[in-house]
Amino acid sequence: MKRETAACGVLILWAGLALAAGWLPLEPNHIHLDRILSTPAAGAWLGYDDLGRRVADRLLLGLRASFMVAAIVVPVCAVSGAMIGVTAAWWGGLWDRFCAGLIDLTLAFPGLLLALALAAALGPSLANVAAALMLTGWTGYARLARAQTLALREREHVQAARVLGTAPPAVWRRHVLPLIAAPLIIEATLGVGGVIVAEAGLSFLGLGARPPAPSLGGMIRDGTYYMLVAPHLLVAPGAALFLIVAAVNEIGESLRRRLYAR
Amino acid sequence: MWRFLCRRLFHAAAVTSGVVSLVFLLIHLVPGDPVEVMLGESAVAAERAALRHALGLDQPLLAQWLHYVAGLLRFDMGTSLYTHRAIAGMLRERLPATALLAAVAVIVALVISLPLGAISAWRTGRWPDHCVAGYAALAVAVPSFWLGPMLVWLFALQLGWLPVSGREGAASLVLPALTLGVGLSAPLARILRGSLLEVAHEDFLRAARARGLPSSVIFLRYALRNAALPVLTVLGLQLGALLGGAVITETIFQWPGVGLLTVEAILRRDYPVLQGCVLLIALVYVGVNMLVDLICGLLDVRVRTRMSA
């Protein structure tokens, strides 16, 4: 219980900071020539980067971009994946074959590879990274929803609803989705961490937001160039990313434990 | 067994053809004119026409696809726009480095996860188990593109024990393999713990204990052997994460493998090379997963029957 509370606290803190970043008087691109690479001090908690920009300001705006991508990508993937999975299992036949094939095909590309290739083809920008993550991210939800619906379809309450002539969308909404929602929500919780890391990884490789727009991955990459003289450039964005992902994972795992403990 | 084998091979063939088609279509996703993107704005019309013709982009889509597949069957993936060399040759040059890195990373992951998984299953719910769970949570959450540079900072820059990057001797392999292996060790330790706990109450273990066998023999010959199958499956699946992760890890350490080539191709807008790299990594992944399934099927009848049902 304690660990979950801590995880929720960490996540709320970071998400709150990211949300507030839009209203704070931040100067992510303001250059202080006399402060280049200077270490953390009062007034600049995280120091200045290689161009003399405040790391803390850039970190908050980078975080905001990460959370924005996650807030768009995860719901889109979860909803579309659930719809594809439920309909595939429900109707079966050719549509199911097609969906299962598409899922297998997407999963044949390990890890970030497909998102990487798509983002590279579409060109470097935050929107294209989000698009690439959406195009590849729905499969996990679809596979889960499909497997669960296949089992549910034969259950008596669903059979009864079908016999009574309820239209399929109503059956899904009232009798299928409520029962498969819990595992999907857990998957989505863990997915938030996954999407944030994926976005940072793609920006690390230079595929995300274009400079000077701040991003966690880009800050980590730039930080590696100055490790010897200014390790804070590397530590700050990495630690933020690590804390967020650890908190999200902890919350997801604790939800999972609660669901399957019963 | 034959039925299972045929089904699995057919499935792999179907996925492979899908992968080839998707990778082929990649170049058509480039917004606007891919030739213009590759050559830049300064190129003259004749150059563009020449490249368009060389890539076959002036032909109908179906003809392009047939041409691409026919080329692949002859191990011809076209030539790089940047180095003007055959892509198949470039990949052949880079593949051994990636294979070596992946193999050593798997060994590192096994060396970390086997004792951790065993300890946490042996002392379930006690402090060693909690420590291992804590390690697994950390290892899963730490992104490789942060772990790698931090390891470099500590072991190469501060302590000076290991080289920063590149490929010079065995020492330069340590940090990349560790970076990749740590991420892989967490799921392996978890799954090993779970499957050890599952076999812990089996009759054959009780029988082995009743016969008074030493606990090391019981663990190695009876418990670990029977718990190994899920670990093998997860290893096969995670190998994908490893190959995908190699793109980032190789970039951090400038390790001259296929992953670094992928990123170089992206930065140079060398789309044919990008296609070749993505295709190679995906096909290796599909092949490895097929092998893992076949091995599991060979070792365990239950897997075979589940698959063909």
Side-chain angles (χ1 to χ4, degrees):
Chain A
M1 192 62 211
K2 249 185 187 167
R3 272 169 68 178
E4 290 143 37
T5 322
C8 284
V10 168
L11 192 64
I12 290 170
L13 179 73
W14 282 118
L17 280 174
L19 264 181
W23 289 286
L24 293 175
L26 300 176
E27 300 176 325
N29 294 322
H30 187 85
I31 291 174
H32 305 258
L33 281 176
D34 52 334
R35 302 273 173 77
I36 284 177
L37 293 178
S38 64
T39 46
W45 294 1
L46 298 175
Y48 292 84
D49 71 0
D50 54 314
L51 295 178
R53 301 173 297 192
R54 246 185 245 141
V55 174
D57 295 19
R58 298 184 63 73
L59 182 68
L60 285 188
L61 289 169
L63 266 179
R64 193 173 68 140
S66 292
F67 274 111
M68 259 166 49
V69 169
I72 295 168
V73 170
V74 172
V76 167
C77 286
V79 170
S80 61
M83 272 168 54
I84 290 170
V86 169
T87 52
W90 190 266
W91 283 321
L94 215 57
W95 171 241
D96 186 34
R97 284 273 181 91
F98 175 73
C99 292
L102 210 55
I103 293 172
D104 278 349
L105 178 59
T106 315
L107 293 176
F109 294 88
L112 271 181
L113 190 68
L114 188 55
L116 179 87
L118 290 174
L122 293 171
S125 84
L126 197 60
N128 286 340
V129 164
L133 291 176
M134 277 192 261
L135 285 171
T136 56
W138 57 275
T139 45
Y141 306 97
R143 205 164 53 150
L144 192 63
R146 179 172 174 270
Q148 303 257 340
T149 309
L150 275 179
L152 270 181
R153 202 173 57 162
E154 309 304 326
R155 289 263 283 271
E156 276 164 3
H157 75 282
V158 177
Q159 295 281 0
R162 289 174 77 174
V163 169
L164 289 172
T166 317
V171 181
W172 301 336
R173 203 172 58 241
R174 306 244 298 268
H175 303 292
V176 177
L177 284 176
L179 289 172
I180 67 171
L184 282 173
I185 289 171
I186 293 173
E187 183 88 0
T189 312
L190 294 169
V192 170
V195 166
I196 289 179
V197 171
E199 186 271 327
L202 292 177
S203 335
F204 177 85
L205 294 175
L207 286 170
R210 269 189 262 193
S215 67
L216 292 182
M219 289 175 73
I220 292 178
R221 183 197 53 222
D222 295 344
T224 60
Y225 304 145
Y226 299 95
M227 268 193 289
L228 205 52
V229 285
H232 64 276
L233 292 188
L234 177 63
V235 172
L241 187 60
F242 168 71
L243 280 175
I244 290 167
V245 175
V248 168
N249 286 349
E250 184 61 36
I251 294 168
E253 290 297 330
S254 113
L255 286 176
R256 190 196 298 270
R257 275 196 299 271
R258 277 177 198 207
L259 176 71
Y260 293 108
R262 274 183 277 151
Chain B
M1 187 64 208
W2 281 112
R3 203 181 144 80
F4 166 69
L5 191 74
C6 290
R7 262 172 191 277
R8 197 61 190 80
L9 283 177
F10 178 75
H11 180 254
V15 170
T16 301
S17 61
V19 166
V20 168
S21 305
L22 195 58
V23 169
F24 158 76
L25 285 173
L26 211 56
I27 201 164
H28 294 277
L29 278 179
V30 178
D33 184 354
V35 169
E36 198 160 310
V37 174
M38 285 183 267
L39 285 180
E41 279 167 15
S42 59
V44 287
E47 274 181 289
R48 284 186 199 161
L51 180 61
R52 188 166 291 131
H53 183 71
L55 292 175
L57 290 174
D58 50 355
Q59 287 167 22
L61 200 60
L62 187 65
Q64 288 181 40
W65 183 78
L66 286 174
H67 182 76
Y68 188 69
V69 174
L72 284 182
L73 293 177
R74 287 179 277 118
F75 291 104
D76 175 13
M77 299 175 153
T79 50
S80 160
L81 300 179
Y82 183 78
T83 60
H84 300 290
R85 293 181 48 209
I87 294 168
M90 291 169 76
L91 289 174
R92 203 175 301 137
E93 228 173 67
R94 298 289 194 112
L95 192 58
T98 298
L100 178 67
L101 177 61
V104 178
V106 167
I107 294 170
V108 168
L110 285 175
V111 166
I112 299 175
S113 61
L114 284 183
L116 289 188
I119 288 172
S120 75
W122 185 38
R123 287 275 177 263
T124 328
R126 312 265 280 278
W127 66 265
D129 190 21
H130 294 309
C131 287
V132 172
Y135 165 78
L138 290 185
V140 163
V142 65
S144 63
F145 48 90
W146 189 50
L147 178 66
M150 293 298 277
L151 290 174
V152 168
W153 181 79
L154 182 63
F155 290 108
L157 296 179
Q158 297 299 316
L159 297 171
W161 292 351
L162 295 162
V164 172
S165 65
R167 191 188 176 186
E168 286 143 21
S172 58
L173 185 57
V174 176
L175 288 182
L178 198 60
T179 306
L180 266 180
V182 164
L184 184 62
S185 69
L188 284 184
R190 269 186 195 164
I191 201 82
L192 180 65
R193 174 186 182 270
S195 61
L196 276 176
L197 286 179
E198 233 164 68
V199 299
H201 301 292
E202 295 276 354
D203 285 339
F204 59 82
L205 275 189
R206 210 180 307 155
R209 258 182 241 122
R211 278 158 61 202
L213 292 173
S215 51
S216 59
V217 174
I218 294 180
F219 176 71
L220 287 175
R221 199 180 293 165
Y222 294 90
L224 192 60
R225 198 167 164 187
N226 283 287
L229 216 55
V231 177
L232 191 64
T233 314
V234 169
L235 194 62
L237 284 172
Q238 290 290 327
L239 198 83
L242 201 70
L243 288 171
V247 175
I248 285 178
T249 311
E250 287 179 5
T251 307
I252 300 168
F253 294 98
Q254 294 295 303
W255 182 260
V258 180
L260 184 60
L261 186 63
T262 311
V263 174
E264 286 168 356
I266 291 173
L267 295 179
R268 291 170 184 157
R269 307 196 171 204
D270 199 344
Y271 292 112
V273 173
L274 176 64
Q275 283 176 307
C277 292
V278 172
L279 188 63
L280 179 70
I281 297 175
L283 291 188
V284 168
Y285 182 47
V286 170
V288 168
N289 271 327
M290 189 186 69
L291 273 182
V292 168
D293 275 356
L294 292 182
I295 292 172
C296 287
L298 268 180
L299 293 179
D300 195 329
V301 192
R302 286 170 292 182
V303 177
R304 252 179 280 167
T305 43
R306 198 187 330 134
M307 267 264 173
S308 45

